[in-house]
Structures are given as structure tokens and as C-alpha cells.
Amino acid sequence: MLHDLFEILSFQSGYNTNVVLLGSGLLGTAGGVVGVFSLLRKRALISDAISHATLPGITLGFLVALALTGTGKSLPFLMIGSTLSGILGVLLVQWIKDNTRLPEDSAIGTVLSSFFGLGVVLMSYIQTLKSGSQAGLESYLLGSTASMLQSEAEMIAFSALAITVLAVLFMKEFGLVCFDPDYAASRGWAVSKIDLLMMALLLAVVVIGLKTVGLILIIALVIIPPVAARFWTDRLGLMVAISAFTGGLSCYLGAALSALTPDLPSGATIVLTATSIFTLSLLFAPKRGIVAVALRQFSFRLKITRRRALLSLDKGQENLSLLPRLLLKREGVIKSTGEITPLGQKTVSYMAHDQALWNQYLNDYPEEAFAQNKWSLAMISDVLSFDLVKELENSISGQNTVSSQNVVSGSLKDIS
């Protein structure tokens, strides 16, 4: 089986399979690119409404093609029907949101369930027709790459490539509208038209992805890749690239697994592949991954524990708990008996002086100190500027000088 999978992945399983893999990969790339802007615009769930709203259009397109051509298996009719139905679904969601008190999620849920229910009813009616049993419309629910024709795969590939190119060309406009639509409007940009273009590209991805992923799972193709990419970066361009790569790889591997085992629906294998990549990002992304965050928190707690232990030693409190005792013993600050070493004396003095500088900073600049989220949590020289630290040093030195003079003058009075 591994040998067969390798042949499929290396494009050695025939022209039709190769075209299907390429088309699926480009579809995933387009979904990843468009999905970034849908996610940032907080309209990710609108793709769910669009996908479910296409089912009545698919069935009506089949019925129209059956009446005009004698066969319902006409991809142009099916895609035109699904496109018109998807547009109608989006317009209804917008109308409900603008003209009623229902929020957008309620409008999406209403349109989604109503259109999907109508589509199921029409599919049941098609099954009663003589040619309905051969319609194969079930493949549009969960996707099917095994039954995809070469012409269908080529059309998906070219359409997905065109969508990707358009999204990249308008990336600057899409990004500004997603982050700051008011500023974009102040610069004279037609925000509503840019939104309409984003929605059109999203609709196009949903329509061309029905045969590959299926209308039930197509939402995953425009949500999971950008969400996974968000764990890796804060930059829009890099996020789009990572999302495109994640979507393309998910569809490429999922389609290969579906070709290897035709009984598995391609939509399910593609979504599971994307979910696996998302899980890896969730766990191991270096900036926001769970493991990285846990390691940073653990390291931070160790630093705080060490700092508190050193300050406690400076105050003469030698009854330390197990963890700080182990930490300081490993550094050579204390001996096994708990006695402070010569190195430990220097370390304790250095930490006490650092804490004194922080206290002086709080005394001299209270507002800035309260706004400083690293106050007394890190070495002051790593947080504040050199000039400011030097100023705090001089303040402490001046106070010590004044204190010494007071002590001397007091002593002279006692003598006299």
C-alpha cells in the first residue's frame, strides 16, 4: 500500500489521477488564500451558509439539464445552479441581518438549514425519477475525486489558479479592509465593492470545491488552513503563504489517500489531513503552540522562583522550599548544607542591588513603573535603557551618601 501511495504522490499513476491531484492541490491553495481574508474579516462561517445554500441549486441544475439535454450529469448546469443558489443564500443572510434584529450567526443558521432542507427534498424527488438513481449527486455532499472526470479536474485546476492569482493581486486592498475598513474608506476605497469581491472569490472556491470536498465539508477548506497559519505568524503575507501551503498540501495528500482507497470520501480524507496539520500547529508552533507557551511559562516561573529565593537569602531567610533550593544548589549559590557559597554571596548581592534599582524606579517614575509589565520580573538592565539605569544608580548612591552623613553627624553629637 505504501508503494502504491508513493506512486500516486509522485504522479506515476496515470494522467487522470495526476490531473485530479493537481486540481485538488490548487483548490486547497485557493481555499487557503481566500480563507485568510474571510477569517480576518470575521466572516468565516458565511462559507458554511454558502456551501449549504448550493444544494438546491445543484438539484435544480440537474433537473434543468435533464429537461434540456436528456441527462442531468452536466457540470456547467450544476455549477451555474449552485452559483446562483449560493448568491441567493448570501443575499438572504445579508437581508435578514440588515432588516431584522437577528444577529449574523442566527441569519446564517436560518438560511443554512432552510436551503439544505430544500436541497434534501429535491434530491429525494430526483431519486424517484427514472434517471435519478444514476444522478450521483451524493458525491456533492462529501466529495469524490475517484469519480472525477479529466475535464472536471482541469476546470477545477484552472478556476482555482485564477482565484489564487486574483486574491494575491488584491491582497493589499483585502488586508486593509480586513484590519481597518474605516481607514480604507477614508482613503477613498470602495469598501463595499472590495467586500463583494472577497465574497465572490469565497463563493467561487465553494462552488468549484463541491466535487472535491463536498458542500458539507467545504467550510473546513477555508477555515482550517488560515487558522493553522495564524499559529505561526502575525504577518499577513506570510500568513497567506502558510495558509496556501497548508490548504494545498491537505488537498493533495487527501486526494491521494482517496485515490488509494476509493471507498473513502475525498472530502473526509482532505479534512482529516488538514486537521492533522492544524493539530501539529496547535501543539508545536514556536510562537503560539501549546508546547511553546507551556515551556515559556515554566521558564518564567523558574526565573521568578530563583529571584525570590535570592532576595530571601539577602534578608537572611534560609528556609527555602525544595524547588528553589535545588535551583540555587545547581548554580552553586548554596551548598548541600544550605550555607551560601562565595559565588552565592556575589549573586545575592547583585540581585538585591537589582531589586533596589527597581524600587528606586518605582519611587522616581511611579506612572511608568506601574505601566511596566516586567517590573521586578527581569533584570533591570534588560528592560530599561542604559541612561535610565545609570540615573537610578546615581539616585541610590546619593541616598547612601546622605544616610552616611547623617550617621556621622549623629555620632559626633553623641561624642560632644
Side-chain angles (χ1 to χ4, degrees):
M1 180 175 290
L2 291 178
H3 177 71
D4 295 336
L5 180 60
F6 176 77
E7 285 190 348
I8 295 174
L9 292 174
S10 58
F11 297 99
Q12 300 178 18
S13 295
Y15 181 76
N16 188 61
T17 303
N18 295 340
V19 172
V20 170
L21 287 178
L22 182 61
S24 300
L26 290 174
L27 172 65
T29 301
V33 173
V34 175
V36 169
F37 305 110
S38 298
L39 178 68
L40 296 177
R41 195 72 169 115
K42 295 181 174 60
R43 291 178 175 173
L45 285 179
I46 197 67
S47 60
D48 200 15
I50 294 175
S51 62
H52 285 73
T54 57
L55 184 57
I58 292 173
T59 55
L60 290 175
F62 175 83
L63 293 174
V64 171
L66 184 64
L68 296 179
T69 64
T71 176
K73 294 182 179 181
S74 176
L75 188 61
F77 279 93
L78 297 178
M79 294 194 68
I80 291 173
S82 60
T83 301
L84 295 177
S85 182
I87 293 174
L88 179 61
V90 172
L91 294 178
L92 282 177
V93 169
Q94 191 67 31
W95 184 88
I96 293 174
K97 187 182 71 171
D98 294 340
N99 295 277
T100 68
R101 294 185 177 182
L102 293 177
E104 187 176 25
D105 56 348
S106 299
I108 291 174
T110 302
V111 172
L112 181 152
S113 55
S114 301
F115 274 67
F116 191 71
L118 176 61
V120 171
V121 170
L122 292 175
M123 286 188 66
S124 300
Y125 170 71
I126 289 175
Q127 295 301 321
T128 64
L129 303 176
K130 292 182 179 180
S131 59
S133 59
Q134 301 176 358
L137 296 182
E138 293 83 359
S139 63
Y140 286 89
L141 296 178
L142 296 175
S144 176
T145 57
S147 61
M148 191 183 301
L149 300 177
Q150 176 184 330
S151 57
E152 296 175 344
E154 290 175 349
M155 186 198 67
I156 291 174
F158 287 121
S159 301
L161 183 59
I163 293 171
T164 303
V165 171
L166 279 175
V168 171
L169 289 176
F170 286 92
M171 186 170 65
K172 181 180 72 174
E173 290 79 3
F174 289 168
L176 184 57
V177 169
C178 289
F179 289 111
D180 197 343
D182 294 332
Y183 176 69
S186 68
R187 293 189 59 183
W189 291 10
V191 175
S192 59
K193 293 182 179 179
I194 295 175
D195 267 333
L196 185 62
L197 179 58
M198 277 194 287
M199 198 68 66
L201 294 179
L202 178 61
L203 175 62
V205 169
V206 170
V207 170
I208 66 173
L210 292 176
K211 186 68 175 178
T212 305
V213 186
L215 62 88
I216 295 179
L217 300 174
I218 187 64
I219 182 177
L221 199 59
V222 296
I223 291 182
I224 295 180
V227 170
R230 190 68 182 87
F231 281 100
W232 294 90
T233 183
D234 291 326
R235 297 172 55 189
L236 177 61
L238 189 56
M239 183 179 175
V240 170
I242 295 175
S243 179
F245 175 77
T246 302
L249 182 64
S250 300
C251 284
Y252 172 68
L253 294 178
L257 291 173
S258 180
L260 183 65
T261 55
D263 293 335
L264 290 177
S266 60
T269 56
I270 288 173
V271 171
L272 288 177
T273 304
T275 303
S276 300
I277 299 176
F278 165 76
T279 303
L280 292 175
S281 301
L282 174 66
L283 292 175
F284 302 111
K287 191 170 184 179
R288 292 189 175 88
I290 292 177
V291 175
V293 171
L295 290 176
R296 286 197 299 268
Q297 290 179 348
F298 180 71
S299 176
F300 178 75
R301 290 177 180 178
L302 288 181
K303 290 180 180 179
I304 297 301
T305 300
R306 175 182 177 273
R307 185 182 187 91
R308 289 177 177 175
L310 291 173
L311 293 176
S312 298
L313 291 177
D314 179 64
K315 296 178 181 179
Q317 301 174 3
E318 298 183 359
N319 295 325
L320 303 177
S321 58
L322 179 60
L323 179 58
R325 184 178 293 273
L326 292 175
L327 287 175
L328 298 183
K329 181 181 177 182
R330 182 181 179 184
E331 291 184 25
V333 175
I334 60 176
K335 300 178 182 179
S336 300
T337 59
E339 183 181 356
I340 304 178
T341 64
L343 174 63
Q345 292 287 355
K346 294 181 180 179
T347 306
V348 169
S349 299
Y350 181 70
M351 186 61 70
H353 181 68
D354 183 81
Q355 188 62 40
L357 290 174
W358 277 118
N359 293 334
Q360 189 64 36
Y361 179 58
L362 178 63
N363 182 67
D364 294 348
Y365 303 95
E367 295 183 359
E368 291 83 348
F370 281 118
Q372 178 60 253
N373 57 3
K374 291 185 178 181
W375 187 89
S376 188
L377 299 179
M379 303 306 293
I380 197 168
S381 58
D382 296 333
V383 179
L384 304 183
S385 65
F386 174 80
D387 294 336
L388 183 54
V389 174
K390 193 66 176 177
E391 178 185 333
L392 297 175
E393 292 271 8
N394 295 333
S395 298
I396 293 177
S397 299
Q399 291 179 1
N400 291 337
T401 302
V402 172
S403 300
S404 300
Q405 291 175 354
N406 292 335
V407 171
V408 171
S409 62
S411 300
L412 291 175
K413 289 181 181 178
D414 292 340
I415 294 173
S416 60

